[in-house]
């Protein structure tokens, strides 16, 4: 239709998706709740944490890719208490994740270390240090904000999902003016009768994010598009 497309190369990844699932899958649900709220993320090459599990998508994606590029794997881990909390937030998800292999269970930290070729003592020290952080309420290593309901991770078995970033969306899209009129790729002027709002647009996506995803993009610009259509129809 001749619309200009901008910022299509601004790719955003979802960092904690599972390579054991096709598409986006549900592994990220476990990693972002089980691991970020009630557990921790581990670099299998060192047996240590490697980032703030609550970091933004770019920060955590970059951290995961750094581990992967160095030949390691990144895993999200929690214990049975963490899984019980996860089940309250995502009822039924564990059944799916265990059935499709995205989440695996290990009877002990020794078994977990053996499965991923980690030094068991290094892994145990990581958990000991993190449990101390939980008890003190302060993560001195990465500055993570610790959930008030998180308990020391001492209740085996341990549950694990592997993480490998997948493309979630592009921040770009259809170019519009400030009134949501779609701009032409030929002369950068509005195409008569064509409007765009929400996540299909580029240049504004994420600028007014409040809460989940880009709800405010859709609400604010959708309302603006409706007003502009009426205004143009009266001309």
């Amino acid at each position: 239709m001749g619309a200009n497309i901008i910022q299509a190369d601004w790719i955003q990844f979802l960092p904690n998706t599972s390579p054991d699932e096709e598409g986006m899958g549900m592994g990220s649900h476990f990693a972002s709740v089980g691991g970020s709220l009630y557990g921790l993320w581990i670099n299998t090459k060192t047996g240590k944490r490697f980032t703030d599990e609550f970091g933004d998508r770019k920060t955590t994606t970059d951290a995961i890719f750094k581990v992967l590029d160095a030949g390691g794997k990144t895993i999200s881990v929690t214990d049975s208490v963490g899984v019980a909390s996860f089940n309250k937030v995502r009822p039924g998800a564990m059944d799916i994740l265990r059935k499709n292999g995205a989440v695996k269970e290990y009877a002990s930290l020794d078994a977990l270390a053996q499965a991923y070729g980690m030094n068991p003592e290094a892994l145990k020290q990581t958990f000991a240090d993190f449990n101390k952080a939980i008890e003190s309420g302060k993560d001195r290593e990465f500055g993570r904000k610790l959930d008030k309901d998180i308990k020391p991770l001492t209740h085996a078995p341990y549950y694990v999902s592997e993480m490998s970033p997948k493309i979630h969306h592009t921040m770009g899209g259809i170019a519009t003016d400030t009134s949501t009129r779609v701009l032409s790729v030929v002369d950068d002027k509005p195409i008569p009768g064509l409007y765009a709002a929400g996540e299909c647009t580029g240049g504004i996506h994420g600028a007014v994010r409040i809460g989940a995803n880009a709800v405010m993009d859709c609400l604010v610009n959708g309302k603006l598009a409706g007003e502009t259509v009426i205004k143009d129809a009266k001309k």
Side-chain angles (χ1 to χ4, degrees):
M1 299 177 72
N4 190 17
I5 303 296
I6 60 172
Q7 300 172 347
D9 59 341
W10 289 21
I11 303 298
Q12 186 173 135
F13 288 84
L14 191 60
N16 46 25
T17 49
S18 170
D20 296 316
E21 296 179 294
E22 293 184 358
M24 298 310 292
M26 294 183 62
S28 62
H29 292 257
F30 176 85
S32 61
V33 178
S36 293
L37 281 175
Y38 308 115
L40 70 171
W41 294 359
I42 299 289
N43 174 355
T44 62
K45 200 164 186 179
T46 63
K48 298 179 180 180
R49 292 173 66 208
F50 60 94
T51 190
D52 171 6
E53 293 86 350
F54 266 156
D56 62 69
R57 285 184 180 179
K58 183 174 191 319
T59 300
T60 51
T61 294
D62 288 347
I64 290 173
F65 275 138
K66 186 175 180 179
V67 174
L68 298 180
D69 289 344
K73 292 183 178 181
T74 55
I75 56 175
S76 173
V77 187
T78 192
D79 63 1
S80 60
V81 173
V83 162
S85 298
F86 173 65
N87 284 333
K88 294 178 182 178
V89 179
R90 296 285 190 273
M94 277 297 294
D95 293 334
I96 297 172
L97 291 166
R98 294 188 67 182
K99 186 176 181 180
N100 69 16
V103 171
K104 299 175 176 60
E105 177 184 326
Y106 297 97
S108 65
L109 290 180
D110 284 312
L112 172 58
Q114 183 178 10
Y116 286 93
M118 290 183 282
N119 181 320
E121 297 310 314
L123 182 64
K124 291 176 183 178
Q125 187 61 54
T126 295
F127 271 75
D129 292 342
F130 189 64
N131 287 336
K132 288 180 181 178
I134 293 173
E135 291 170 348
S136 69
K138 292 184 179 180
D139 174 21
R140 300 186 185 281
E141 188 173 11
F142 291 105
R144 166 179 157 183
K145 183 178 179 180
L146 296 170
D147 188 273
K148 62 182 178 62
D149 295 324
I150 188 173
K151 308 297 182 186
L153 304 173
T154 58
H155 302 85
Y158 295 90
Y159 297 85
V160 177
S161 70
E162 192 173 331
M163 300 182 295
S164 183
K166 295 178 183 179
I167 293 175
H168 189 264
H169 66 276
T170 172
M171 301 294 283
I174 300 168
T176 69
D177 65 10
T178 57
S179 297
T180 74
R181 300 179 183 91
V182 174
L183 302 178
S184 169
V185 71
V186 176
D187 56 14
D188 209 34
K189 294 180 180 180
I191 298 174
L194 190 58
Y195 309 84
E199 292 194 341
C200 69
T201 61
I204 59 171
H205 182 62
V208 288
R209 281 179 179 246
I210 298 177
N213 297 321
V215 175
M216 291 304 292
D217 283 358
C218 301
L219 292 176
V220 173
N221 293 295
K223 182 175 183 296
L224 181 59
E227 293 173 348
T228 303
V229 168
I230 294 173
K231 184 186 299 182
D232 289 353
K234 292 180 179 180
K235 290 180 179 179

mmCIF file of all heavy atoms in Angstrom, residues 4-10 169-178 183 196 198-208 217 221:
data_model
loop_
_atom_site.group_PDB
_atom_site.id
_atom_site.type_symbol
_atom_site.label_atom_id
_atom_site.label_comp_id
_atom_site.label_asym_id
_atom_site.label_seq_id
_atom_site.Cartn_x
_atom_site.Cartn_y
_atom_site.Cartn_z
ATOM 1 N N ASN A 4 5.577 3.609 4.549
ATOM 2 C CA ASN A 4 6.980 3.566 4.933
ATOM 3 C C ASN A 4 7.130 2.717 6.199
ATOM 4 O O ASN A 4 6.309 2.779 7.111
ATOM 5 C CB ASN A 4 7.491 4.985 5.190
ATOM 6 C CG ASN A 4 8.999 5.029 5.359
ATOM 7 O OD1 ASN A 4 9.691 4.086 4.980
ATOM 8 N ND2 ASN A 4 9.507 6.112 5.912
ATOM 9 N N ILE A 5 8.188 1.904 6.245
ATOM 10 C CA ILE A 5 8.478 1.072 7.414
ATOM 11 C C ILE A 5 9.769 1.572 8.044
ATOM 12 O O ILE A 5 10.778 1.759 7.354
ATOM 13 C CB ILE A 5 8.634 -0.411 7.028
ATOM 14 C CG1 ILE A 5 7.379 -0.914 6.314
ATOM 15 C CG2 ILE A 5 8.926 -1.257 8.262
ATOM 16 C CD1 ILE A 5 6.131 -0.905 7.157
ATOM 17 N N ILE A 6 9.751 1.788 9.355
ATOM 18 C CA ILE A 6 10.951 2.279 10.034
ATOM 19 C C ILE A 6 11.321 1.380 11.213
ATOM 20 O O ILE A 6 10.484 0.710 11.792
ATOM 21 C CB ILE A 6 10.761 3.733 10.543
ATOM 22 C CG1 ILE A 6 9.597 3.816 11.532
ATOM 23 C CG2 ILE A 6 10.561 4.675 9.385
ATOM 24 C CD1 ILE A 6 9.479 5.167 12.215
ATOM 25 N N GLN A 7 12.594 1.351 11.524
ATOM 26 C CA GLN A 7 13.144 0.660 12.697
ATOM 27 C C GLN A 7 12.815 -0.840 12.745
ATOM 28 O O GLN A 7 12.750 -1.432 13.825
ATOM 29 C CB GLN A 7 12.660 1.340 13.987
ATOM 30 C CG GLN A 7 13.072 2.797 14.073
ATOM 31 C CD GLN A 7 12.430 3.518 15.250
ATOM 32 O OE1 GLN A 7 11.507 3.019 15.870
ATOM 33 N NE2 GLN A 7 12.929 4.710 15.543
ATOM 34 N N ALA A 8 12.638 -1.438 11.586
ATOM 35 C CA ALA A 8 12.328 -2.870 11.551
ATOM 36 C C ALA A 8 13.508 -3.728 12.017
ATOM 37 O O ALA A 8 13.346 -4.908 12.331
ATOM 38 C CB ALA A 8 11.903 -3.283 10.138
ATOM 39 N N ASP A 9 14.707 -3.121 12.035
ATOM 40 C CA ASP A 9 15.892 -3.867 12.487
ATOM 41 C C ASP A 9 16.129 -3.723 13.989
ATOM 42 O O ASP A 9 17.115 -4.225 14.517
ATOM 43 C CB ASP A 9 17.132 -3.420 11.717
ATOM 44 C CG ASP A 9 17.426 -1.933 11.876
ATOM 45 O OD1 ASP A 9 16.506 -1.176 12.261
ATOM 46 O OD2 ASP A 9 18.574 -1.525 11.619
ATOM 47 N N TRP A 10 15.219 -3.058 14.684
ATOM 48 C CA TRP A 10 15.315 -2.943 16.145
ATOM 49 C C TRP A 10 14.645 -4.175 16.759
ATOM 50 O O TRP A 10 13.463 -4.173 17.078
ATOM 51 C CB TRP A 10 14.643 -1.665 16.627
ATOM 52 C CG TRP A 10 15.385 -0.407 16.273
ATOM 53 C CD1 TRP A 10 16.307 -0.246 15.281
ATOM 54 C CD2 TRP A 10 15.246 0.872 16.894
ATOM 55 N NE1 TRP A 10 16.753 1.050 15.240
ATOM 56 C CE2 TRP A 10 16.121 1.763 16.216
ATOM 57 C CE3 TRP A 10 14.478 1.353 17.931
ATOM 58 C CZ2 TRP A 10 16.237 3.104 16.564
ATOM 59 C CZ3 TRP A 10 14.587 2.691 18.276
ATOM 60 C CH2 TRP A 10 15.457 3.553 17.602
ATOM 61 N N HIS A 169 9.875 -9.656 19.144
ATOM 62 C CA HIS A 169 9.232 -8.734 18.219
ATOM 63 C C HIS A 169 10.223 -7.679 17.752
ATOM 64 O O HIS A 169 11.327 -7.580 18.275
ATOM 65 C CB HIS A 169 8.022 -8.049 18.865
ATOM 66 C CG HIS A 169 8.373 -7.134 20.001
ATOM 67 N ND1 HIS A 169 8.561 -7.579 21.278
ATOM 68 C CD2 HIS A 169 8.561 -5.779 20.041
ATOM 69 C CE1 HIS A 169 8.862 -6.567 22.070
ATOM 70 N NE2 HIS A 169 8.877 -5.462 21.342
ATOM 71 N N THR A 170 9.802 -6.916 16.759
ATOM 72 C CA THR A 170 10.579 -5.757 16.338
ATOM 73 C C THR A 170 9.953 -4.513 16.939
ATOM 74 O O THR A 170 8.731 -4.399 17.034
ATOM 75 C CB THR A 170 10.634 -5.618 14.807
ATOM 76 O OG1 THR A 170 11.244 -4.363 14.480
ATOM 77 C CG2 THR A 170 9.257 -5.654 14.177
ATOM 78 N N MET A 171 10.800 -3.586 17.362
ATOM 79 C CA MET A 171 10.296 -2.330 17.913
ATOM 80 C C MET A 171 9.788 -1.404 16.814
ATOM 81 O O MET A 171 9.139 -0.394 17.094
ATOM 82 C CB MET A 171 11.408 -1.617 18.697
ATOM 83 C CG MET A 171 11.983 -2.420 19.840
ATOM 84 S SD MET A 171 10.816 -2.713 21.163
ATOM 85 C CE MET A 171 10.811 -1.134 21.971
ATOM 86 N N GLY A 172 10.109 -1.726 15.566
ATOM 87 C CA GLY A 172 9.718 -0.884 14.448
ATOM 88 C C GLY A 172 8.366 -1.254 13.861
ATOM 89 O O GLY A 172 7.627 -2.072 14.398
ATOM 90 N N GLY A 173 8.056 -0.640 12.712
ATOM 91 C CA GLY A 173 6.790 -0.914 12.039
ATOM 92 C C GLY A 173 6.430 0.210 11.084
ATOM 93 O O GLY A 173 7.294 0.895 10.536
ATOM 94 N N ILE A 174 5.136 0.422 10.918
ATOM 95 C CA ILE A 174 4.621 1.416 9.982
ATOM 96 C C ILE A 174 4.894 2.829 10.508
ATOM 97 O O ILE A 174 4.645 3.127 11.670
ATOM 98 C CB ILE A 174 3.103 1.227 9.784
ATOM 99 C CG1 ILE A 174 2.824 -0.168 9.219
ATOM 100 C CG2 ILE A 174 2.530 2.304 8.876
ATOM 101 C CD1 ILE A 174 1.357 -0.551 9.261
ATOM 102 N N ALA A 175 5.409 3.684 9.639
ATOM 103 C CA ALA A 175 5.682 5.075 10.015
ATOM 104 C C ALA A 175 4.395 5.895 9.949
ATOM 105 O O ALA A 175 3.629 5.807 8.990
ATOM 106 C CB ALA A 175 6.729 5.680 9.090
ATOM 107 N N THR A 176 4.160 6.691 10.992
ATOM 108 C CA THR A 176 2.985 7.569 11.015
ATOM 109 C C THR A 176 3.406 8.971 11.446
ATOM 110 O O THR A 176 4.493 9.163 11.996
ATOM 111 C CB THR A 176 1.919 7.066 12.013
ATOM 112 O OG1 THR A 176 2.411 7.234 13.351
ATOM 113 C CG2 THR A 176 1.576 5.607 11.776
ATOM 114 N N ASP A 177 2.513 9.915 11.223
ATOM 115 C CA ASP A 177 2.742 11.231 11.813
ATOM 116 C C ASP A 177 2.201 11.207 13.238
ATOM 117 O O ASP A 177 1.739 10.165 13.730
ATOM 118 C CB ASP A 177 2.109 12.347 10.961
ATOM 119 C CG ASP A 177 0.583 12.275 10.897
ATOM 120 O OD1 ASP A 177 -0.012 11.478 11.662
ATOM 121 O OD2 ASP A 177 -0.011 13.009 10.093
ATOM 122 N N THR A 178 2.235 12.336 13.933
ATOM 123 C CA THR A 178 1.818 12.359 15.340
ATOM 124 C C THR A 178 0.312 12.199 15.524
ATOM 125 O O THR A 178 -0.168 12.075 16.651
ATOM 126 C CB THR A 178 2.271 13.667 16.008
ATOM 127 O OG1 THR A 178 1.741 14.783 15.272
ATOM 128 C CG2 THR A 178 3.787 13.743 16.058
ATOM 129 N N LEU A 183 2.442 7.277 6.778
ATOM 130 C CA LEU A 183 3.275 8.053 5.860
ATOM 131 C C LEU A 183 3.730 7.220 4.668
ATOM 132 O O LEU A 183 4.065 6.046 4.806
ATOM 133 C CB LEU A 183 4.489 8.604 6.608
ATOM 134 C CG LEU A 183 4.178 9.492 7.816
ATOM 135 C CD1 LEU A 183 5.474 9.940 8.490
ATOM 136 C CD2 LEU A 183 3.338 10.701 7.397
ATOM 137 N N ALA A 196 -2.804 4.078 11.366
ATOM 138 C CA ALA A 196 -2.236 2.917 12.072
ATOM 139 C C ALA A 196 -2.005 3.275 13.535
ATOM 140 O O ALA A 196 -1.639 4.402 13.861
ATOM 141 C CB ALA A 196 -0.925 2.476 11.419
ATOM 142 N N GLY A 198 -0.963 1.337 17.629
ATOM 143 C CA GLY A 198 -0.583 0.144 18.386
ATOM 144 C C GLY A 198 0.750 -0.432 17.961
ATOM 145 O O GLY A 198 1.611 0.276 17.427
ATOM 146 N N GLU A 199 0.921 -1.732 18.189
ATOM 147 C CA GLU A 199 2.224 -2.358 17.985
ATOM 148 C C GLU A 199 2.619 -2.529 16.523
ATOM 149 O O GLU A 199 3.755 -2.920 16.231
ATOM 150 C CB GLU A 199 2.262 -3.716 18.693
ATOM 151 C CG GLU A 199 2.240 -3.572 20.207
ATOM 152 C CD GLU A 199 2.615 -4.849 20.913
ATOM 153 O OE1 GLU A 199 2.553 -5.930 20.280
ATOM 154 O OE2 GLU A 199 2.974 -4.785 22.095
ATOM 155 N N CYS A 200 1.712 -2.265 15.580
ATOM 156 C CA CYS A 200 2.087 -2.356 14.165
ATOM 157 C C CYS A 200 2.883 -1.140 13.728
ATOM 158 O O CYS A 200 3.469 -1.130 12.651
ATOM 159 C CB CYS A 200 0.848 -2.525 13.286
ATOM 160 S SG CYS A 200 -0.206 -1.063 13.225
ATOM 161 N N THR A 201 2.926 -0.108 14.563
ATOM 162 C CA THR A 201 3.609 1.118 14.186
ATOM 163 C C THR A 201 5.050 1.138 14.665
ATOM 164 O O THR A 201 5.436 0.407 15.576
ATOM 165 C CB THR A 201 2.879 2.349 14.766
ATOM 166 O OG1 THR A 201 2.876 2.250 16.196
ATOM 167 C CG2 THR A 201 1.462 2.421 14.261
ATOM 168 N N GLY A 202 5.857 1.993 14.056
ATOM 169 C CA GLY A 202 7.247 2.164 14.450
ATOM 170 C C GLY A 202 7.492 3.581 14.927
ATOM 171 O O GLY A 202 6.695 4.479 14.663
ATOM 172 N N GLY A 203 8.599 3.779 15.643
ATOM 173 C CA GLY A 203 8.966 5.121 16.066
ATOM 174 C C GLY A 203 8.468 5.522 17.431
ATOM 175 O O GLY A 203 9.049 6.378 18.079
ATOM 176 N N ILE A 204 7.366 4.902 17.890
ATOM 177 C CA ILE A 204 6.809 5.264 19.197
ATOM 178 C C ILE A 204 6.672 4.050 20.107
ATOM 179 O O ILE A 204 6.410 4.198 21.300
ATOM 180 C CB ILE A 204 5.416 5.911 19.056
ATOM 181 C CG1 ILE A 204 4.441 4.951 18.351
ATOM 182 C CG2 ILE A 204 5.516 7.217 18.291
ATOM 183 C CD1 ILE A 204 3.012 5.430 18.380
ATOM 184 N N HIS A 205 6.853 2.866 19.574
ATOM 185 C CA HIS A 205 6.607 1.651 20.353
ATOM 186 C C HIS A 205 7.478 1.623 21.605
ATOM 187 O O HIS A 205 8.684 1.754 21.544
ATOM 188 C CB HIS A 205 6.886 0.413 19.504
ATOM 189 C CG HIS A 205 6.616 -0.875 20.233
ATOM 190 N ND1 HIS A 205 5.371 -1.204 20.688
ATOM 191 C CD2 HIS A 205 7.437 -1.885 20.594
ATOM 192 C CE1 HIS A 205 5.434 -2.374 21.288
ATOM 193 N NE2 HIS A 205 6.670 -2.808 21.252
ATOM 194 N N GLY A 206 6.845 1.447 22.758
ATOM 195 C CA GLY A 206 7.582 1.369 24.010
ATOM 196 C C GLY A 206 7.780 2.711 24.682
ATOM 197 O O GLY A 206 8.212 2.785 25.826
ATOM 198 N N ALA A 207 7.432 3.799 24.004
ATOM 199 C CA ALA A 207 7.687 5.127 24.574
ATOM 200 C C ALA A 207 6.770 5.436 25.750
ATOM 201 O O ALA A 207 7.105 6.223 26.621
ATOM 202 C CB ALA A 207 7.516 6.192 23.493
ATOM 203 N N VAL A 208 5.592 4.828 25.766
ATOM 204 C CA VAL A 208 4.643 5.124 26.843
ATOM 205 C C VAL A 208 4.229 3.846 27.560
ATOM 206 O O VAL A 208 3.096 3.686 27.962
ATOM 207 C CB VAL A 208 3.382 5.839 26.292
ATOM 208 C CG1 VAL A 208 3.718 7.251 25.890
ATOM 209 C CG2 VAL A 208 2.781 5.075 25.113
ATOM 210 N N ASP A 217 0.291 1.996 24.423
ATOM 211 C CA ASP A 217 0.439 2.330 22.999
ATOM 212 C C ASP A 217 -0.900 2.142 22.291
ATOM 213 O O ASP A 217 -1.355 3.002 21.526
ATOM 214 C CB ASP A 217 1.470 1.403 22.334
ATOM 215 C CG ASP A 217 2.898 1.788 22.673
ATOM 216 O OD1 ASP A 217 3.085 2.784 23.383
ATOM 217 O OD2 ASP A 217 3.816 1.083 22.223
ATOM 218 N N ASN A 221 -2.972 5.582 21.290
ATOM 219 C CA ASN A 221 -2.919 5.831 19.848
ATOM 220 C C ASN A 221 -4.180 5.358 19.126
ATOM 221 O O ASN A 221 -4.541 5.902 18.080
ATOM 222 C CB ASN A 221 -1.668 5.190 19.256
ATOM 223 C CG ASN A 221 -0.411 5.885 19.752
ATOM 224 O OD1 ASN A 221 -0.172 7.040 19.467
ATOM 225 N ND2 ASN A 221 0.381 5.168 20.541
#
